[in-house]
Amino acid sequence: MPVVKRGVLYGVGAYGLWGLFPLYWPLLKPAGAVEILVHRIMWSLVAVAAVLAAGRNWSRLRAVTGRQAGLLALAAVMITINWGTFIYAVNSGHTIEGALGYFINPLISVVFGVIIFRERLRFWQWAAVGLGAAAVVVLTIDYGRLPWIALVLACSFGTYGLLKKFANTPSAESLSIETAVMFLPALAVAVGLQMRRDAAFGHHGIGHAALVAAAGLVTAVPLMLFNSAAIRLPLSMIGVLQYMTPLLQFLIGLLIQDEQMPASRWVGFLLVWLALITLTWDGLRAARRARPTLEPVPEAVH
């Protein structure tokens, strides 16, 4: 099979699995969002450790510098906020707002480029950012509040990707460090929930416990698929494929979980989609004009 075709299949697998996450987290009820989050962290460390052991890649961990470890520790905090917010969104009936966060994430990345890297935006990039800002205003009026779930998801994931870009560490190794950083706090919370008798894990049968523990595998598998796609595909193709995830999440919230979408909310989402179309079109046009270069692809972990 051609390399690019394999890359596309890996990419579709990764983004497709991330897009189906809203079907998985409700299966872990009556566990609350905090309990699901801490178990996801702990079992993810187990899963990634197994991957590293199978590939005998422990030596790569020793090659991580102190600077990289510090950046990954900060990344661990960001992805913990991101994971926890998304689990809360799905299990509290706000899957569509969660999907919105991942739709506007590319726009947040553009804003970060201006603020942090002093990048000069092209006209159509400014237009996309303006449409995104207008969408936030429309959705704030619609919700009667800032769409904070979407904004927290977009900003935390954008910051996470930025830190991972600076750290420039392979996905399995970086996730192992990130989950190791958060393992003891997660374990402390899990033990505390058990002592307070507020925990669901271990109290609702073997099937429920197995589903909770499988959160580690559910986290690791799409990450490995993404890593395989990233080394085979150009950044422009990865950029297009990434919209699969929020689109699937949106459809699950709308068609399966029956979340409401009044007309004003549709207007806000249409503005976001128009912004993304503009941003993608401009990026593809710029890529055709410039000589292609290979850059590290920001990790995607949902």
Side-chain angles (χ1 to χ4, degrees):
M1 187 183 296
V3 172
V4 172
K5 187 174 181 180
R6 284 206 308 272
V8 170
L9 291 176
Y10 287 134
V12 168
Y15 288 113
L17 287 173
W18 281 322
L20 295 177
F21 271 11
L23 297 178
Y24 181 74
W25 302 126
L27 299 178
L28 308 188
K29 293 180 178 180
V34 172
E35 185 178 10
I36 295 172
L37 172 63
V38 297
H39 276 279
R40 184 181 185 185
I41 291 169
M42 293 187 296
W43 292 109
S44 292
L45 178 59
V46 173
V48 177
V51 170
L52 290 175
R56 298 181 180 180
N57 292 328
W58 295 110
S59 59
R60 293 183 183 177
L61 287 177
R62 292 193 293 271
V64 174
T65 66
R67 176 181 176 276
Q68 287 176 313
L71 289 169
L72 292 175
L74 292 175
V77 175
M78 290 296 104
I79 200 59
T80 297
I81 293 171
N82 184 271
W83 284 357
T85 303
F86 187 72
I87 293 168
Y88 167 79
V90 170
N91 284 3
S92 63
H94 294 90
T95 297
I96 289 178
E97 188 178 348
L100 175 65
Y102 292 115
F103 274 127
I104 66 176
N105 180 67
L107 300 174
I108 295 294
S109 296
V110 170
V111 173
F112 281 178
V114 173
I115 295 173
I116 298 172
F117 298 109
R118 306 294 182 182
E119 294 178 358
R120 297 182 62 182
L121 299 188
R122 296 180 294 274
F123 172 81
W124 291 110
Q125 289 177 309
W126 278 118
V129 171
L131 287 168
V136 170
V137 172
V138 170
L139 290 168
T140 297
I141 296 171
D142 172 74
Y143 283 114
R145 58 171 175 80
L146 271 174
W148 68 267
I149 290 174
L151 293 175
V152 169
L153 286 172
C155 292
S156 61
F157 193 65
T159 305
Y160 175 77
L162 190 65
L163 291 167
K164 297 274 279 192
K165 183 178 180 66
F166 287 142
N168 193 22
T169 308
S171 56
E173 289 80 353
S174 62
L175 186 60
S176 66
I177 293 172
E178 292 159 28
T179 50
V181 166
M182 300 304 298
F183 181 84
L184 288 179
L187 179 62
V189 172
V191 170
L193 290 172
Q194 291 288 350
M195 292 178 66
R196 290 170 47 191
R197 298 184 179 180
D198 290 335
F201 183 74
H203 302 286
H204 292 274
I206 295 176
H208 180 266
L211 281 172
V212 173
L217 193 62
V218 165
T219 298
V221 168
L223 179 65
M224 297 300 105
L225 289 172
F226 171 80
N227 190 58
S228 297
I231 62 178
R232 291 173 172 84
L233 296 178
L235 287 176
S236 58
M237 193 171 293
I238 289 286
V240 172
L241 286 176
Q242 72 177 340
Y243 296 129
M244 276 185 60
T245 295
L247 180 60
L248 285 172
Q249 294 168 353
F250 176 84
L251 292 174
I252 288 170
L254 181 67
L255 302 177
I256 297 178
Q257 297 174 344
D258 294 322
E259 293 186 18
Q260 296 299 309
M261 277 292 290
S264 54
R265 201 164 300 172
W266 276 110
V267 171
F269 271 81
L270 287 171
L271 285 171
V272 169
W273 293 334
L274 182 57
L276 293 177
I277 290 170
T278 302
L279 191 65
T280 302
W281 170 78
D282 180 76
L284 292 174
R285 187 182 65 161
R288 284 196 298 267
R289 289 180 176 178
R291 186 176 181 178
T293 56
L294 294 177
E295 300 176 7
V297 180
E299 301 290 350
V301 184
H302 298 267

